[in-house]
Amino acid sequence: MDKLAVVVLAAGLGKRMGKDLPKVILKTRERPLIQHVLTTANSLNPERIVVVVGHKRELVEETVSSGASEGLYPKEKIRYALQSSQKGTGDAVKAALPELEGFVGTVVILYGDVPITRVETLRSLIERHHADKATLSLVVLHSDQFTAYGRILRDDSGHVSRIVELKDCSPLQVGIRELNPGIYAVDSSFLAPAVSELKNENAQKEYYLTDIVQRAAEEGQSISSIITADAGEVQGVNTPVDLEVVNRILRERQVLNLVNNGVIIEDSASLYLDSEVKIASGCVVGPQVQIRGKSSLKTGVKIEGCALIIDSEIEEEATIKFSCRIESSKIGKETQIGPFAHLRAGTILGEDVKVGNFVETKQAVLHNGAKASHLSYLGDCEVGKESNIGAGVITCNYDGVNKHRTKIGENAFIGSDTCLVAPVSVGDGALIGAGSVITKDVPKDALGLSRAPQTIREEWAAKRRESLKKS
Ligand code: UD1
Ligand code: MG
């Protein structure tokens, strides 16, 4: 098999994005465009990848190397070439030539602003290139939609003969429906002279890479192509709207992958997932759900709907009932949350725990089988196995200056409407009477009660009613 190098063009200004940043560092699905392109390029296993930089090169290089540090592609394969002024895509490839020195084989050229091309498409292009022993091969996009892409011209016998940029098109050429998505495989020995001798006699006074097609045709070199009708995967990002289109396509791909893997998604239109979210087969995700950051859902998790889940791990068969917010938390197997629960950072719930309606937790560890079913604030606390937290229990963790912890042992029972004024502890098996304000530690198996004794005055209410009537 022929050797492979990839050149990625990333020196441009991105004028149409309306920002002064190089557009290849803008993000789609939390990842800069250039990192998407380099990840795909690396999947082809090239000998080297040359990134052409120019406008704000430091920012682009920083972005490229942070992707390498994350392990998306090996740092050793990346080389940078400087295009000192942005005179067009052809000039950018010319700037890459010194970094291709000594390389003999096929050069795949990709634009840094075309981020979501599938690696399978690139592989088919390379296979066709080799099978046809072509000098130059390209992807041809068939699309009825009007776009600003270059138009592909064919000669009388149907061979690709030229690419005309939209700005240089005659009115008749504008209507051509064979478009240039900008993905090429070129023989290295043809590429070097072809880009070195480009002219800029066109509407934009730029050196167009696309002009190497005409040169190849005129020299009688063989030009090969593959056709795609999937405008989405070759979508270039030139405007803010294009960026949103790319975002949407990636989201749709992610949802389809999940559905194919056995996840039930009840309303994909109202589901928002960050790209690194993992959802195992057998999970059911209801409508109006956002799952963000590095969250993961294991097999059989059910989310009823209307949830925001951020950087959280949810174990097998757990249920998140309607309307919950969960952040930086861990939820154990078969545990049930909600409806209307708020799990803040540092919440760790064991197996078969219950956190019910209007319960807020923060830095709270609830061990297996613990239950807090209604209306509680559990902050900076630990609740032992099988303990029951009654309705309206509050851990008073803040004295206005510092935060303090509450520790509740196993099998304890905290009666409704109890305030636990931290720092305080309740021993295993202890019972706290409803309505208590607990300020001192309660030992194991003890009763803790701090309630004014109840008074009964027989007939008092009836007499009061009578006296009010008379006056
Ligand atoms: C280019 C193609 C067009 C194709 C379209 C597909 C040319 C002349 N035109 O147009 O036929 O339909 O892509 O998306 O190639 N860049 C540099 N240096 C430069 C200019 C650009 O590195 O001097 C880089 C940019 O950073 C960008 C890429 O090359 O990543 C493409 O440049 P862009 O200006 O977006 O070209 P298009 O107008 O989209
Ligand atoms: Mg472009």
Side-chain angles (χ1 to χ4, degrees), residues 285-332:
V285 183
Q288 311 284 350
V289 171
Q290 298 180 45
I291 310 180
R292 295 182 176 268
K294 292 194 193 317
S295 297
S296 65
L297 274 57
K298 298 264 179 68
T299 309
V301 168
K302 181 163 196 284
I303 302 180
E304 284 186 353
C306 239
L308 171 59
I309 298 168
I310 307 164
D311 291 326
S312 295
E313 292 167 28
I314 307 181
E315 299 295 327
E316 288 88 348
E317 307 292 333
T319 301
I320 313 298
K321 295 183 183 166
F322 183 75
S323 208
C324 292
R325 187 183 192 283
I326 298 168
E327 182 167 7
S328 303
S329 296
K330 291 187 175 162
I331 296 172

mmCIF file of all heavy atoms in Angstrom, residues 285-332:
data_model
loop_
_atom_site.group_PDB
_atom_site.id
_atom_site.type_symbol
_atom_site.label_atom_id
_atom_site.label_comp_id
_atom_site.label_asym_id
_atom_site.label_seq_id
_atom_site.Cartn_x
_atom_site.Cartn_y
_atom_site.Cartn_z
ATOM 1 N N VAL A 285 -34.901 7.162 28.234
ATOM 2 C CA VAL A 285 -34.758 8.595 28.483
ATOM 3 C C VAL A 285 -36.026 9.309 28.007
ATOM 4 O O VAL A 285 -36.355 9.284 26.818
ATOM 5 C CB VAL A 285 -33.513 9.167 27.756
ATOM 6 C CG1 VAL A 285 -33.337 10.642 28.072
ATOM 7 C CG2 VAL A 285 -32.263 8.392 28.150
ATOM 8 N N GLY A 286 -36.728 9.919 28.937
ATOM 9 C CA GLY A 286 -37.978 10.612 28.611
ATOM 10 C C GLY A 286 -37.732 11.973 27.974
ATOM 11 O O GLY A 286 -36.592 12.375 27.755
ATOM 12 N N PRO A 287 -38.804 12.719 27.719
ATOM 13 C CA PRO A 287 -38.677 14.020 27.058
ATOM 14 C C PRO A 287 -38.033 15.095 27.940
ATOM 15 O O PRO A 287 -37.996 14.962 29.160
ATOM 16 C CB PRO A 287 -40.141 14.409 26.759
ATOM 17 C CG PRO A 287 -40.937 13.183 26.955
ATOM 18 C CD PRO A 287 -40.208 12.328 27.935
ATOM 19 N N GLN A 288 -37.554 16.140 27.308
ATOM 20 C CA GLN A 288 -37.016 17.336 27.981
ATOM 21 C C GLN A 288 -35.861 17.017 28.919
ATOM 22 O O GLN A 288 -35.871 17.380 30.086
ATOM 23 C CB GLN A 288 -38.110 18.044 28.798
ATOM 24 C CG GLN A 288 -39.396 18.305 28.075
ATOM 25 C CD GLN A 288 -39.293 19.483 27.109
ATOM 26 O OE1 GLN A 288 -38.310 20.209 27.118
ATOM 27 N NE2 GLN A 288 -40.287 19.650 26.278
ATOM 28 N N VAL A 289 -34.877 16.331 28.411
ATOM 29 C CA VAL A 289 -33.748 15.930 29.259
ATOM 30 C C VAL A 289 -32.449 16.509 28.695
ATOM 31 O O VAL A 289 -32.234 16.508 27.493
ATOM 32 C CB VAL A 289 -33.658 14.385 29.339
ATOM 33 C CG1 VAL A 289 -32.378 13.937 30.032
ATOM 34 C CG2 VAL A 289 -34.880 13.819 30.061
ATOM 35 N N GLN A 290 -31.608 17.052 29.600
ATOM 36 C CA GLN A 290 -30.256 17.478 29.214
ATOM 37 C C GLN A 290 -29.274 16.661 30.029
ATOM 38 O O GLN A 290 -29.377 16.633 31.253
ATOM 39 C CB GLN A 290 -30.015 18.931 29.583
ATOM 40 C CG GLN A 290 -30.904 19.935 28.918
ATOM 41 C CD GLN A 290 -30.535 21.341 29.403
ATOM 42 O OE1 GLN A 290 -29.362 21.693 29.470
ATOM 43 N NE2 GLN A 290 -31.533 22.112 29.759
ATOM 44 N N ILE A 291 -28.326 16.039 29.352
ATOM 45 C CA ILE A 291 -27.279 15.320 30.083
ATOM 46 C C ILE A 291 -25.948 15.894 29.610
ATOM 47 O O ILE A 291 -25.631 15.856 28.429
ATOM 48 C CB ILE A 291 -27.347 13.794 29.847
ATOM 49 C CG1 ILE A 291 -28.781 13.308 30.086
ATOM 50 C CG2 ILE A 291 -26.377 13.078 30.768
ATOM 51 C CD1 ILE A 291 -28.967 11.818 29.873
ATOM 52 N N ARG A 292 -25.197 16.442 30.552
ATOM 53 C CA ARG A 292 -24.019 17.215 30.174
ATOM 54 C C ARG A 292 -22.745 16.681 30.806
ATOM 55 O O ARG A 292 -22.780 15.922 31.764
ATOM 56 C CB ARG A 292 -24.225 18.681 30.572
ATOM 57 C CG ARG A 292 -25.367 19.327 29.781
ATOM 58 C CD ARG A 292 -25.540 20.783 30.127
ATOM 59 N NE ARG A 292 -26.551 21.409 29.307
ATOM 60 C CZ ARG A 292 -26.313 22.039 28.160
ATOM 61 N NH1 ARG A 292 -25.090 22.134 27.697
ATOM 62 N NH2 ARG A 292 -27.298 22.573 27.471
ATOM 63 N N GLY A 293 -21.620 17.173 30.250
ATOM 64 C CA GLY A 293 -20.314 16.838 30.817
ATOM 65 C C GLY A 293 -19.989 15.375 30.659
ATOM 66 O O GLY A 293 -20.371 14.738 29.690
ATOM 67 N N LYS A 294 -19.274 14.836 31.675
ATOM 68 C CA LYS A 294 -18.854 13.441 31.578
ATOM 69 C C LYS A 294 -19.829 12.552 32.348
ATOM 70 O O LYS A 294 -19.428 11.801 33.233
ATOM 71 C CB LYS A 294 -17.438 13.297 32.142
ATOM 72 C CG LYS A 294 -16.377 13.969 31.295
ATOM 73 C CD LYS A 294 -15.013 13.493 31.723
ATOM 74 C CE LYS A 294 -13.863 14.311 31.180
ATOM 75 N NZ LYS A 294 -13.894 14.718 29.806
ATOM 76 N N SER A 295 -21.087 12.632 32.029
ATOM 77 C CA SER A 295 -22.063 11.810 32.747
ATOM 78 C C SER A 295 -22.147 10.425 32.132
ATOM 79 O O SER A 295 -21.904 10.255 30.940
ATOM 80 C CB SER A 295 -23.445 12.463 32.669
ATOM 81 O OG SER A 295 -23.427 13.708 33.311
ATOM 82 N N SER A 296 -22.510 9.443 32.974
ATOM 83 C CA SER A 296 -22.726 8.101 32.420
ATOM 84 C C SER A 296 -23.932 7.444 33.074
ATOM 85 O O SER A 296 -24.175 7.611 34.269
ATOM 86 C CB SER A 296 -21.488 7.238 32.623
ATOM 87 O OG SER A 296 -21.280 7.022 33.981
ATOM 88 N N LEU A 297 -24.682 6.730 32.265
ATOM 89 C CA LEU A 297 -25.864 6.012 32.734
ATOM 90 C C LEU A 297 -25.633 4.536 32.432
ATOM 91 O O LEU A 297 -25.410 4.168 31.276
ATOM 92 C CB LEU A 297 -27.115 6.462 31.958
ATOM 93 C CG LEU A 297 -27.889 7.693 32.420
ATOM 94 C CD1 LEU A 297 -27.034 8.925 32.498
ATOM 95 C CD2 LEU A 297 -29.075 7.938 31.492
ATOM 96 N N LYS A 298 -25.684 3.705 33.472
ATOM 97 C CA LYS A 298 -25.488 2.256 33.238
ATOM 98 C C LYS A 298 -26.814 1.610 32.829
ATOM 99 O O LYS A 298 -27.873 2.228 32.922
ATOM 100 C CB LYS A 298 -24.957 1.604 34.511
ATOM 101 C CG LYS A 298 -23.602 2.126 34.964
ATOM 102 C CD LYS A 298 -22.479 1.226 34.477
ATOM 103 C CE LYS A 298 -21.113 1.732 34.906
ATOM 104 N NZ LYS A 298 -20.897 1.649 36.336
ATOM 105 N N THR A 299 -26.726 0.353 32.477
ATOM 106 C CA THR A 299 -27.878 -0.379 31.949
ATOM 107 C C THR A 299 -29.146 -0.210 32.789
ATOM 108 O O THR A 299 -29.108 -0.317 34.015
ATOM 109 C CB THR A 299 -27.551 -1.889 31.917
ATOM 110 O OG1 THR A 299 -26.316 -2.013 31.246
ATOM 111 C CG2 THR A 299 -28.604 -2.691 31.192
ATOM 112 N N GLY A 300 -30.261 0.022 32.134
ATOM 113 C CA GLY A 300 -31.566 -0.010 32.800
ATOM 114 C C GLY A 300 -31.934 1.248 33.557
ATOM 115 O O GLY A 300 -32.958 1.283 34.234
ATOM 116 N N VAL A 301 -31.130 2.295 33.440
ATOM 117 C CA VAL A 301 -31.492 3.544 34.129
ATOM 118 C C VAL A 301 -32.705 4.148 33.423
ATOM 119 O O VAL A 301 -32.800 4.119 32.194
ATOM 120 C CB VAL A 301 -30.311 4.542 34.108
ATOM 121 C CG1 VAL A 301 -30.757 5.933 34.554
ATOM 122 C CG2 VAL A 301 -29.184 4.030 34.994
ATOM 123 N N LYS A 302 -33.640 4.668 34.236
ATOM 124 C CA LYS A 302 -34.833 5.283 33.635
ATOM 125 C C LYS A 302 -34.896 6.752 34.055
ATOM 126 O O LYS A 302 -34.814 7.062 35.249
ATOM 127 C CB LYS A 302 -36.074 4.536 34.113
ATOM 128 C CG LYS A 302 -37.358 5.078 33.525
ATOM 129 C CD LYS A 302 -38.497 4.077 33.695
ATOM 130 C CE LYS A 302 -39.662 4.404 32.793
ATOM 131 N NZ LYS A 302 -40.482 5.492 33.202
ATOM 132 N N ILE A 303 -35.010 7.623 33.081
ATOM 133 C CA ILE A 303 -35.182 9.047 33.384
ATOM 134 C C ILE A 303 -36.560 9.428 32.876
ATOM 135 O O ILE A 303 -36.817 9.403 31.670
ATOM 136 C CB ILE A 303 -34.102 9.885 32.687
ATOM 137 C CG1 ILE A 303 -32.734 9.396 33.154
ATOM 138 C CG2 ILE A 303 -34.284 11.368 32.988
ATOM 139 C CD1 ILE A 303 -31.574 10.112 32.556
ATOM 140 N N GLU A 304 -37.455 9.750 33.797
ATOM 141 C CA GLU A 304 -38.848 9.991 33.387
ATOM 142 C C GLU A 304 -38.988 11.194 32.456
ATOM 143 O O GLU A 304 -39.776 11.183 31.523
ATOM 144 C CB GLU A 304 -39.729 10.213 34.614
ATOM 145 C CG GLU A 304 -40.041 8.938 35.338
ATOM 146 C CD GLU A 304 -41.049 9.133 36.473
ATOM 147 O OE1 GLU A 304 -41.409 10.286 36.797
ATOM 148 O OE2 GLU A 304 -41.441 8.124 37.038
ATOM 149 N N GLY A 305 -38.250 12.255 32.756
ATOM 150 C CA GLY A 305 -38.337 13.428 31.882
ATOM 151 C C GLY A 305 -38.057 14.693 32.652
ATOM 152 O O GLY A 305 -38.103 14.717 33.888
ATOM 153 N N CYS A 306 -37.714 15.759 31.900
ATOM 154 C CA CYS A 306 -37.454 17.046 32.510
ATOM 155 C C CYS A 306 -36.322 16.971 33.523
ATOM 156 O O CYS A 306 -36.518 17.265 34.705
ATOM 157 C CB CYS A 306 -38.712 17.531 33.215
ATOM 158 S SG CYS A 306 -39.245 19.087 32.570
ATOM 159 N N ALA A 307 -35.155 16.576 33.100
ATOM 160 C CA ALA A 307 -34.040 16.469 34.039
ATOM 161 C C ALA A 307 -32.822 17.184 33.477
ATOM 162 O O ALA A 307 -32.652 17.273 32.263
ATOM 163 C CB ALA A 307 -33.701 14.998 34.276
ATOM 164 N N LEU A 308 -31.990 17.720 34.396
ATOM 165 C CA LEU A 308 -30.684 18.241 34.001
ATOM 166 C C LEU A 308 -29.657 17.457 34.798
ATOM 167 O O LEU A 308 -29.668 17.481 36.038
ATOM 168 C CB LEU A 308 -30.588 19.744 34.316
ATOM 169 C CG LEU A 308 -29.203 20.373 34.144
ATOM 170 C CD1 LEU A 308 -28.685 20.213 32.723
ATOM 171 C CD2 LEU A 308 -29.243 21.855 34.499
ATOM 172 N N ILE A 309 -28.793 16.748 34.093
ATOM 173 C CA ILE A 309 -27.805 15.891 34.751
ATOM 174 C C ILE A 309 -26.423 16.324 34.264
ATOM 175 O O ILE A 309 -26.171 16.364 33.057
ATOM 176 C CB ILE A 309 -28.070 14.408 34.404
ATOM 177 C CG1 ILE A 309 -29.453 14.017 34.933
ATOM 178 C CG2 ILE A 309 -26.984 13.503 34.967
ATOM 179 C CD1 ILE A 309 -29.961 12.701 34.418
ATOM 180 N N ILE A 310 -25.551 16.686 35.200
ATOM 181 C CA ILE A 310 -24.233 17.210 34.827
ATOM 182 C C ILE A 310 -23.152 16.390 35.528
ATOM 183 O O ILE A 310 -23.211 16.204 36.755
ATOM 184 C CB ILE A 310 -24.092 18.696 35.262
ATOM 185 C CG1 ILE A 310 -25.262 19.527 34.714
ATOM 186 C CG2 ILE A 310 -22.767 19.277 34.806
ATOM 187 C CD1 ILE A 310 -25.423 20.878 35.386
ATOM 188 N N ASP A 311 -22.176 15.924 34.792
ATOM 189 C CA ASP A 311 -21.005 15.228 35.363
ATOM 190 C C ASP A 311 -21.380 14.231 36.452
ATOM 191 O O ASP A 311 -20.784 14.243 37.543
ATOM 192 C CB ASP A 311 -20.019 16.248 35.954
ATOM 193 C CG ASP A 311 -19.358 17.079 34.868
ATOM 194 O OD1 ASP A 311 -19.120 16.534 33.780
ATOM 195 O OD2 ASP A 311 -19.086 18.269 35.117
ATOM 196 N N SER A 312 -22.339 13.392 36.198
ATOM 197 C CA SER A 312 -22.795 12.458 37.235
ATOM 198 C C SER A 312 -22.788 11.025 36.728
ATOM 199 O O SER A 312 -22.916 10.783 35.531
ATOM 200 C CB SER A 312 -24.207 12.828 37.684
ATOM 201 O OG SER A 312 -24.169 14.098 38.309
ATOM 202 N N GLU A 313 -22.623 10.095 37.702
ATOM 203 C CA GLU A 313 -22.623 8.676 37.331
ATOM 204 C C GLU A 313 -23.845 8.013 37.935
ATOM 205 O O GLU A 313 -24.065 8.105 39.140
ATOM 206 C CB GLU A 313 -21.374 7.990 37.902
ATOM 207 C CG GLU A 313 -20.103 8.474 37.251
ATOM 208 C CD GLU A 313 -18.875 8.023 38.037
ATOM 209 O OE1 GLU A 313 -18.927 6.974 38.718
ATOM 210 O OE2 GLU A 313 -17.873 8.760 37.970
ATOM 211 N N ILE A 314 -24.598 7.345 37.094
ATOM 212 C CA ILE A 314 -25.829 6.718 37.572
ATOM 213 C C ILE A 314 -25.738 5.221 37.301
ATOM 214 O O ILE A 314 -25.531 4.788 36.161
ATOM 215 C CB ILE A 314 -27.064 7.338 36.877
ATOM 216 C CG1 ILE A 314 -27.012 8.871 37.040
ATOM 217 C CG2 ILE A 314 -28.345 6.773 37.452
ATOM 218 C CD1 ILE A 314 -28.166 9.627 36.448
ATOM 219 N N GLU A 315 -25.867 4.428 38.360
ATOM 220 C CA GLU A 315 -25.655 2.975 38.240
ATOM 221 C C GLU A 315 -26.924 2.253 37.788
ATOM 222 O O GLU A 315 -28.003 2.849 37.724
ATOM 223 C CB GLU A 315 -25.198 2.410 39.593
ATOM 224 C CG GLU A 315 -23.892 2.981 40.106
ATOM 225 C CD GLU A 315 -22.686 2.633 39.241
ATOM 226 O OE1 GLU A 315 -22.673 1.524 38.657
ATOM 227 O OE2 GLU A 315 -21.770 3.466 39.140
ATOM 228 N N GLU A 316 -26.771 0.965 37.551
ATOM 229 C CA GLU A 316 -27.828 0.136 36.957
ATOM 230 C C GLU A 316 -29.194 0.312 37.625
ATOM 231 O O GLU A 316 -29.292 0.344 38.857
ATOM 232 C CB GLU A 316 -27.468 -1.365 37.064
ATOM 233 C CG GLU A 316 -26.371 -1.831 36.153
ATOM 234 C CD GLU A 316 -25.000 -1.662 36.770
ATOM 235 O OE1 GLU A 316 -24.885 -0.980 37.812
ATOM 236 O OE2 GLU A 316 -24.040 -2.213 36.209
ATOM 237 N N GLU A 317 -30.221 0.358 36.794
ATOM 238 C CA GLU A 317 -31.622 0.300 37.210
ATOM 239 C C GLU A 317 -32.057 1.450 38.125
ATOM 240 O O GLU A 317 -33.106 1.378 38.747
ATOM 241 C CB GLU A 317 -31.946 -1.037 37.920
ATOM 242 C CG GLU A 317 -31.562 -2.303 37.164
ATOM 243 C CD GLU A 317 -32.385 -2.535 35.904
ATOM 244 O OE1 GLU A 317 -33.528 -2.050 35.864
ATOM 245 O OE2 GLU A 317 -31.864 -3.162 34.976
ATOM 246 N N ALA A 318 -31.272 2.480 38.236
ATOM 247 C CA ALA A 318 -31.719 3.633 39.038
ATOM 248 C C ALA A 318 -32.824 4.358 38.269
ATOM 249 O O ALA A 318 -32.890 4.288 37.045
ATOM 250 C CB ALA A 318 -30.554 4.578 39.298
ATOM 251 N N THR A 319 -33.700 5.041 39.016
ATOM 252 C CA THR A 319 -34.787 5.789 38.365
ATOM 253 C C THR A 319 -34.706 7.250 38.761
ATOM 254 O O THR A 319 -34.597 7.581 39.948
ATOM 255 C CB THR A 319 -36.163 5.237 38.816
ATOM 256 O OG1 THR A 319 -36.209 3.866 38.467
ATOM 257 C CG2 THR A 319 -37.311 5.972 38.128
ATOM 258 N N ILE A 320 -34.735 8.106 37.774
ATOM 259 C CA ILE A 320 -34.781 9.536 38.038
ATOM 260 C C ILE A 320 -36.191 9.970 37.651
ATOM 261 O O ILE A 320 -36.527 10.020 36.466
ATOM 262 C CB ILE A 320 -33.748 10.311 37.182
ATOM 263 C CG1 ILE A 320 -32.365 9.632 37.217
ATOM 264 C CG2 ILE A 320 -33.676 11.774 37.603
ATOM 265 C CD1 ILE A 320 -31.720 9.548 38.563
ATOM 266 N N LYS A 321 -37.007 10.250 38.659
ATOM 267 C CA LYS A 321 -38.384 10.630 38.357
ATOM 268 C C LYS A 321 -38.454 12.063 37.840
ATOM 269 O O LYS A 321 -37.453 12.770 37.827
ATOM 270 C CB LYS A 321 -39.253 10.447 39.598
ATOM 271 C CG LYS A 321 -39.343 8.975 39.992
ATOM 272 C CD LYS A 321 -40.250 8.781 41.164
ATOM 273 C CE LYS A 321 -40.260 7.317 41.560
ATOM 274 N NZ LYS A 321 -40.861 7.150 42.877
ATOM 275 N N PHE A 322 -39.643 12.466 37.487
ATOM 276 C CA PHE A 322 -39.852 13.739 36.799
ATOM 277 C C PHE A 322 -39.182 14.937 37.480
ATOM 278 O O PHE A 322 -39.274 15.116 38.688
ATOM 279 C CB PHE A 322 -41.370 13.983 36.703
ATOM 280 C CG PHE A 322 -41.735 15.214 35.952
ATOM 281 C CD1 PHE A 322 -41.633 15.242 34.578
ATOM 282 C CD2 PHE A 322 -42.160 16.343 36.621
ATOM 283 C CE1 PHE A 322 -41.947 16.387 33.872
ATOM 284 C CE2 PHE A 322 -42.482 17.498 35.927
ATOM 285 C CZ PHE A 322 -42.371 17.519 34.538
ATOM 286 N N SER A 323 -38.490 15.737 36.682
ATOM 287 C CA SER A 323 -38.001 17.044 37.095
ATOM 288 C C SER A 323 -36.943 17.039 38.213
ATOM 289 O O SER A 323 -37.229 17.406 39.355
ATOM 290 C CB SER A 323 -39.179 17.921 37.519
ATOM 291 O OG SER A 323 -38.867 19.266 37.301
ATOM 292 N N CYS A 324 -35.757 16.643 37.874
ATOM 293 C CA CYS A 324 -34.655 16.667 38.853
ATOM 294 C C CYS A 324 -33.448 17.373 38.263
ATOM 295 O O CYS A 324 -33.242 17.381 37.060
ATOM 296 C CB CYS A 324 -34.237 15.238 39.202
ATOM 297 S SG CYS A 324 -35.504 14.358 40.119
ATOM 298 N N ARG A 325 -32.642 17.966 39.172
ATOM 299 C CA ARG A 325 -31.359 18.524 38.751
ATOM 300 C C ARG A 325 -30.272 17.798 39.541
ATOM 301 O O ARG A 325 -30.330 17.742 40.781
ATOM 302 C CB ARG A 325 -31.293 20.027 39.045
ATOM 303 C CG ARG A 325 -30.043 20.681 38.482
ATOM 304 C CD ARG A 325 -29.970 22.149 38.854
ATOM 305 N NE ARG A 325 -28.950 22.845 38.098
ATOM 306 C CZ ARG A 325 -27.639 22.767 38.353
ATOM 307 N NH1 ARG A 325 -27.191 22.035 39.344
ATOM 308 N NH2 ARG A 325 -26.792 23.439 37.612
ATOM 309 N N ILE A 326 -29.304 17.264 38.818
ATOM 310 C CA ILE A 326 -28.292 16.414 39.456
ATOM 311 C C ILE A 326 -26.920 16.845 38.957
ATOM 312 O O ILE A 326 -26.677 16.860 37.754
ATOM 313 C CB ILE A 326 -28.549 14.935 39.066
ATOM 314 C CG1 ILE A 326 -29.924 14.510 39.587
ATOM 315 C CG2 ILE A 326 -27.451 14.024 39.585
ATOM 316 C CD1 ILE A 326 -30.413 13.191 39.026
ATOM 317 N N GLU A 327 -26.040 17.225 39.879
ATOM 318 C CA GLU A 327 -24.731 17.711 39.432
ATOM 319 C C GLU A 327 -23.604 17.054 40.227
ATOM 320 O O GLU A 327 -23.687 16.933 41.453
ATOM 321 C CB GLU A 327 -24.652 19.234 39.603
ATOM 322 C CG GLU A 327 -23.338 19.791 39.112
ATOM 323 C CD GLU A 327 -23.333 21.305 38.973
ATOM 324 O OE1 GLU A 327 -24.318 21.946 39.378
ATOM 325 O OE2 GLU A 327 -22.340 21.833 38.467
ATOM 326 N N SER A 328 -22.552 16.648 39.545
ATOM 327 C CA SER A 328 -21.358 16.042 40.163
ATOM 328 C C SER A 328 -21.742 15.084 41.279
ATOM 329 O O SER A 328 -21.270 15.205 42.411
ATOM 330 C CB SER A 328 -20.432 17.128 40.698
ATOM 331 O OG SER A 328 -20.082 18.007 39.657
ATOM 332 N N SER A 329 -22.588 14.151 40.972
ATOM 333 C CA SER A 329 -23.102 13.216 41.969
ATOM 334 C C SER A 329 -22.953 11.783 41.484
ATOM 335 O O SER A 329 -22.783 11.541 40.291
ATOM 336 C CB SER A 329 -24.592 13.485 42.224
ATOM 337 O OG SER A 329 -24.766 14.766 42.775
ATOM 338 N N LYS A 330 -23.020 10.854 42.454
ATOM 339 C CA LYS A 330 -23.012 9.429 42.112
ATOM 340 C C LYS A 330 -24.276 8.811 42.664
ATOM 341 O O LYS A 330 -24.599 9.015 43.847
ATOM 342 C CB LYS A 330 -21.804 8.736 42.730
ATOM 343 C CG LYS A 330 -20.530 9.172 42.098
ATOM 344 C CD LYS A 330 -19.362 8.360 42.587
ATOM 345 C CE LYS A 330 -18.151 8.805 41.790
ATOM 346 N NZ LYS A 330 -16.907 8.489 42.322
ATOM 347 N N ILE A 331 -24.946 8.042 41.834
ATOM 348 C CA ILE A 331 -26.219 7.458 42.243
ATOM 349 C C ILE A 331 -26.121 5.948 42.099
ATOM 350 O O ILE A 331 -25.811 5.442 41.014
ATOM 351 C CB ILE A 331 -27.357 8.031 41.360
ATOM 352 C CG1 ILE A 331 -27.460 9.531 41.628
ATOM 353 C CG2 ILE A 331 -28.667 7.320 41.629
ATOM 354 C CD1 ILE A 331 -28.386 10.260 40.707
ATOM 355 N N GLY A 332 -26.362 5.235 43.195
ATOM 356 C CA GLY A 332 -26.161 3.783 43.203
ATOM 357 C C GLY A 332 -27.280 3.014 42.526
ATOM 358 O O GLY A 332 -28.332 3.569 42.179
#
